[in-house]
Amino acid sequence: MAPIRHAISRVMRSLVIKFTLLCGLILILATAALMSVEFHLKRAENTETGLAHAQIITELFATTLAPAIANNDGGFLVARVGQFAERPDVSGLYAVNVSRTVLAAQGDVPVAPGMRDADALIQSALGAVDTRVETIGQNIHVAAPAFHDGRLVGAVVARVPIYAVARPAGEILRRQLLIAMTALLVFLPLVALVVRRALSPMRKLIEAARAASSRNLDIRIDIRTGDELELLANAFNRMFARLEASVKRVHRLAYVDMITELPNRERFRKEVERVTREASEGQEGAVLFLDLDRFKRVNDSLGIGEGDRLLDAVARRLREAARGWDLAHGEGGAEPSMVARLGGDEFTVLLPKVRDSADAARLARRIIDSVRRPFEISGHQVFLGLSAGIALFPRDGDDPETLLRHADLAMAAAKRSGGNAYEYFEASMNRSAFERLVLENELREAVRDDQLVVFYQPKISFKDGSIAGSEALVRWRHPTAGMLAPGAFIQAAEECGLIGEIGDWVLRRACRDAEVLRASGISMPVAVNVSAMQFESEDFARGVIRALEESGLPPTLLELELTESTAMRDPERVISQIAPLRKMGVTFAIDDFGTGHSSLSYLTRMPFDVFKIDQSFVRNMIDDEHARIVVETILAMARSLKLKTVAEGVETAEQYAALRDLGATLAQGYLFARPMPLDEFERFAAPGARAARIAG
Ligand code: C2E
Ligand code: MG
Ligand code: MG
């Protein structure tokens, strides 16, 4: 702003100077014109007074000398004429009698006493009996008749130099110049003052136009001159007002999210850019990436309109939480945080300054807690969750794109851990994100190009060593990496939404294979793993029924395995989801039992048929007292709930013996067989082979 003010002052100063100079010039010209007129008048007047003066003194001389002229008193005349001629306004003087004989003469005269003077001027004066005046060169010649006792006795002639009686032209000029200069000195500043005042509305106009051109449109020009300038100012004001309204509208459209009134992605990006650019040495800040858990489900059941209201309510809570954080942490006028909506159910927060990473975590915690409280949407209580990722700058990036991407990766990690949690960004997330991207693309191809296969691992009965069933385990015949186990790709499939497709395919393939086996005389149940995401889908049950119908497999030969954490995430839902399938005869197993956090009260109510003891306990039960106690407890619990048990990962005869003594129902593990392709399994489970094995 300061340089602009400076520039305007310069413009105004130059305008005032120009106007003042113009006025000064006009003043000088006018003064010069007046001076010349005055000079000429003065000069004429001067000559007049000079002539009058010369006439008066000459007549005075004539009166004084008249008696001596009458008496022809030469001595007196010579003395007096000499005396008079010494006056500064007289350069020469002489007296004549009526016969024009010079009686006395003194100074610059062309006559001498005794001469007869033939001067025309004297002749005229004596003839007319009146004073005669004549200007010759620089002198005034005056001839005045002299009277004594009423009788003409002669005349006196005087020469008066004009310079002695009239003021010289130079002096007049000097005086006038002095007056003119004084006038200029007094008037010019006055003119400058007036010009300045007269131009002040212009200054306002220029200032306003300048300010408007430098993006500040919130200006009103106040000019009340009642003339065109005021009209112009009003037109300016109207123009500014309209421009400002338009700019505001454009800004709103470009930078504000219409549903929540929060800043949008673009605005957020700009703000992060500014803050990271202006950050001082050693200043740390944070970007939080927030994503609502379960929003899609709520949105689908509420409808778009209510979904928008829910987002608005979430935005309010986020703003509140951020404001609370600002109050607690924004010491000494620090820049406040900014909450923005990126789109969908994704929000972000910018903390321009944090003391340490825990500062950002405190806000994340505060936000998670605030979103956990139920929302009231048109009479319904809605429960949401939120996952947050934290990227710190400059540590995790110093530009908006990197920071947002890293915070997003951290958020995804928080979501994987079960939601309602926050994670800090770590460099390893970046690498795995890239690998996962490649993996996801390949996985899509795998599903499309039939690269997936199902292997079967037998379950052995402790009672008689017979094969009591199998578990279907998916494999990926990767074109370059070879055969991949599910650990390498199931999680990626869940994250990119392919798990539904894959799970469905495995289920149908397993049902079909089991039916093929049954037709060839190997009738035994097949267990299929179901992922959490697959299970949460609304038409999960329908898919299972379709697979059974298509294959013709009796429902009693299908077992579905849910991991303990899937089963316990939303027990009420699990109960209602599996009820129709159980009624048909499908059995359910809790997989990896012992690793999750089961609620005992729910366990007793859950309609499961089998506990699969997690292999980590089986592996350690011989050497580790604790693992052994867990296995014993699970088996005791299963007995009292009248459930079957499958011990997973049985690798040694020792484990097998211990589990048999403790009363487990079935064993699954490398001790008997690794997972194998269908044809191998068919040979493995053929009645003849079975008999041979038992005998062996
Ligand atoms: P799970 O359901 O607990 O399956 C048992 C896992 O233990 C299998 O690993 C099996 O090969 C392995 N295993 C069996 N016996 C032994 C043993 O004696 N020692 C050792 N160390 N391991 C043994 P796999 O095939 O790699 O599968 C890993 C997990 O992937 C499965 O654990 C299951 O949770 C998941 N999974 C497999 N197939 C599918 C599928 O079609 N859909 C879904 N959603 N998940 C699947
Ligand atoms: Mg399993
Ligand atoms: Mg398992």
Side-chain angles (χ1 to χ4, degrees):
M1 205 58 200
I4 292 181
R5 278 199 175 287
H6 212 73
I8 293 177
S9 292
R10 221 170 40 228
V11 169
M12 289 309 295
R13 210 175 309 133
S14 106
L15 266 179
V16 170
I17 289 173
K18 277 183 201 154
F19 269 85
T20 310
L21 283 180
L22 189 69
C23 290
L25 196 71
I26 292 172
L27 207 68
I28 289 171
L29 286 177
T31 314
L34 278 175
M35 266 167 55
S36 77
V37 170
E38 148 113 345
F39 178 71
H40 280 101
L41 287 176
K42 266 268 151 54
R43 219 176 42 185
E45 191 189 305
N46 254 338
T47 321
E48 289 283 298
T49 34
L51 289 177
H53 179 97
Q55 194 174 339
I56 287 167
I57 57 168
T58 312
E59 282 172 357
L60 202 74
F61 295 155
T63 313
T64 315
L65 297 176
I69 295 171
N71 300 330
N72 203 10
D73 184 351
F76 180 81
L77 279 172
V78 169
R80 288 314 284 265
V81 164
Q83 197 185 343
F84 288 148
E86 270 169 19
R87 286 173 58 126
D89 50 352
V90 175
S91 64
L93 186 72
Y94 63 96
V96 296
N97 57 17
V98 279
S99 50
R100 281 184 277 135
T101 305
V102 176
L103 302 179
Q106 191 67 46
D108 174 25
V109 288
V111 292
M115 275 176 65
R116 244 180 93 87
D117 184 19
D119 189 61
L121 195 70
I122 289 184
Q123 278 184 25
S124 160
L126 287 176
V129 199
D130 196 5
T131 309
R132 284 288 180 267
V133 183
E134 193 179 39
T135 309
I136 298 166
Q138 287 304 304
N139 284 312
I140 304 169
H141 292 193
V142 187
F147 301 95
H148 188 64
D149 294 340
R151 183 169 56 87
L152 178 72
V153 292
V156 171
V157 178
R159 306 235 156 141
V160 175
I162 290 175
Y163 69 82
V165 288
R167 211 182 283 138
E171 196 184 317
I172 296 173
L173 218 58
R174 252 201 314 281
R175 203 180 51 129
Q176 282 184 337
L177 266 177
L178 200 74
I179 292 169
M181 289 307 290
T182 319
L184 270 180
L185 275 181
V186 173
F187 281 115
L188 270 187
L190 230 93
V191 166
L193 223 74
V194 171
V195 168
R196 233 187 117 79
R197 275 198 70 105
L199 285 180
S200 79
M202 287 279 285
R203 184 194 178 91
K204 284 187 188 166
L205 280 174
I206 297 175
E207 255 173 16
R210 271 279 168 89
S213 68
S214 61
R215 273 178 48 201
N216 175 17
L217 290 169
D218 183 21
I219 337 161
R220 295 297 164 259
I221 315 169
D222 186 24
I223 294 179
R224 286 166 215 274
T225 48
D227 55 13
E228 286 80 356
L229 279 176
E230 187 175 330
L231 287 180
L232 189 63
N234 289 340
F236 259 63
N237 284 339
R238 277 195 302 276
M239 185 176 79
F240 288 154
R242 289 182 59 160
L243 267 175
E244 195 190 7
S246 307
V247 167
K248 275 194 179 142
R249 206 162 40 242
V250 169
H251 193 272
R252 218 176 107 75
L253 285 173
Y255 294 119
V256 177
D257 171 57
M258 289 302 150
I259 291 173
T260 59
E261 298 279 326
L262 286 177
N264 66 7
R265 176 188 290 269
E266 191 48 31
R267 176 77 215 292
F268 187 78
R269 225 189 54 77
K270 284 202 158 161
E271 193 61 12
V272 174
E273 195 165 49
R274 185 189 65 76
V275 167
T276 48
R277 193 183 50 233
E278 291 174 2
S280 51
E281 186 75 36
Q283 177 182 337
E284 271 199 319
V287 167
L288 273 65
F289 198 107
L290 315 174
D291 189 289
L292 296 175
D293 302 333
R294 290 193 298 282
F295 176 74
K296 199 179 141 24
R297 208 156 75 202
V298 174
N299 196 37
D300 288 348
S301 58
L302 284 177
I304 299 287
E306 299 296 292
D308 286 356
R309 286 191 43 211
L310 182 56
L311 284 175
D312 192 31
V314 169
R316 264 201 302 278
R317 292 218 186 146
L318 297 183
R319 244 183 313 220
E320 248 168 58
R323 203 173 308 134
W325 189 91
D326 284 345
L327 288 178
H329 294 77
E331 69 278 304
E335 264 195 82
S337 58
M338 176 193 255
V339 181
R341 177 172 175 239
L342 295 192
D345 60 351
E346 292 175 345
F347 295 84
T348 45
V349 185
L350 166 66
L351 297 179
K353 193 170 186 180
V354 294
R355 281 167 307 198
D356 51 36
S357 56
D359 252 6
R362 265 190 287 277
L363 175 60
R365 194 71 264 167
R366 199 187 270 253
I367 285 177
I368 290 168
D369 290 344
S370 83
V371 171
R372 254 182 133 140
R373 294 198 320 269
F375 291 87
E376 192 80 34
I377 296 291
S378 49
H380 296 287
Q381 282 218 323
V382 175
F383 291 86
L384 287 177
L386 182 143
S387 305
I390 303 171
L392 297 166
F393 62 79
R395 197 193 72 185
D396 300 335
D398 55 6
D399 63 281
E401 281 70 29
T402 314
L403 283 166
L404 274 173
R405 188 159 43 82
H406 288 173
D408 188 7
L409 285 172
M411 184 281 293
K415 191 148 271 204
R416 273 198 296 282
S417 75
N420 270 332
Y422 65 84
E423 286 288 344
Y424 291 107
F425 168 74
E426 282 164 24
S428 62
M429 294 175 179
N430 225 341
R431 197 176 54 241
S432 63
F434 176 71
E435 283 166 0
R436 188 159 298 144
L437 192 72
V438 174
L439 183 67
E440 281 175 13
N441 284 330
E442 290 183 346
L443 201 52
R444 274 175 226 285
E445 281 170 29
V447 173
R448 202 183 53 218
D449 303 346
D450 260 343
Q451 293 171 9
L452 298 180
V453 284
V454 177
F455 276 27
Y456 296 91
Q457 188 178 30
K459 293 182 205 165
I460 310 296
S461 163
F462 277 107
K463 219 189 302 161
D464 55 8
S466 64
I467 302 175
S470 68
E471 178 174 9
L473 295 160
V474 70
R475 295 285 180 272
W476 177 5
R477 214 189 292 276
H478 192 276
T480 52
M483 195 66 87
L484 296 180
F489 60 91
I490 287 290
Q491 196 183 340
E494 288 191 329
E495 275 160 23
C496 69
L498 276 172
I499 190 68
E501 222 170 307
I502 293 176
D504 206 45
W505 180 85
V506 173
L507 182 67
R508 277 156 55 198
R509 168 47 50 99
C511 288
R512 219 177 318 143
D513 289 351
E515 179 59 18
V516 168
L517 288 180
R518 195 173 73 96
S520 69
I522 309 172
S523 178
M524 59 179 66
V526 64
V528 178
N529 292 285
V530 175
S531 86
M533 253 182 176
Q534 196 183 347
F535 184 71
E536 277 185 5
S537 141
E538 297 295 334
D539 42 31
F540 167 73
R542 233 172 302 140
V544 175
I545 294 169
R546 203 179 329 119
L548 286 169
E549 283 170 359
E550 273 174 20
S551 62
L553 184 74
T556 45
L557 291 187
L558 178 64
E559 185 166 280
L560 296 175
E561 294 188 3
L562 293 179
T563 59
E564 188 181 6
S565 51
T566 310
M568 288 300 148
R569 190 171 295 174
D570 192 351
E572 296 293 349
R573 214 180 116 72
V574 171
I575 293 171
S576 66
Q577 182 94 323
I578 67 181
L581 295 171
R582 267 196 108 231
K583 214 178 275 169
M584 292 171 65
V586 177
T587 51
F588 282 84
I590 298 190
D591 204 351
D592 304 341
F593 192 72
T595 55
H597 306 276
S598 287
S599 142
L600 267 183
S601 68
Y602 271 119
L603 264 187
T604 53
R605 288 177 48 209
M606 294 282 254
F608 282 98
D609 308 280
V610 180
F611 280 165
K612 293 193 78 178
I613 304 167
D614 190 69
Q615 45 181 282
S616 60
F617 303 115
V618 174
R619 188 182 311 131
N620 299 323
M621 66 180 291
I622 301 301
D623 306 321
D624 180 355
E625 179 67 13
H626 173 75
R628 195 187 155 82
I629 291 173
V630 172
V631 172
E632 282 176 17
T633 312
I634 294 174
L635 289 174
M637 193 157 61
R639 246 196 316 276
S640 65
L641 288 170
K642 303 204 168 42
L643 300 185
K644 285 197 267 183
T645 47
V646 176
E648 292 189 292
V650 181
E651 293 184 350
T652 65
E654 218 180 343
Q655 289 165 353
Y656 178 76
L659 286 159
R660 187 192 50 206
D661 295 349
L662 287 171
T665 323
L666 302 176
Q668 179 182 347
Y670 295 168
L671 177 63
F672 315 102
R674 291 182 177 253
M676 57 190 101
L678 176 68
D679 51 348
E680 236 174 83
F681 183 74
E682 193 173 356
R683 282 195 297 280
F684 185 86
R690 257 188 289 172
R693 218 176 16 258
I694 293 169

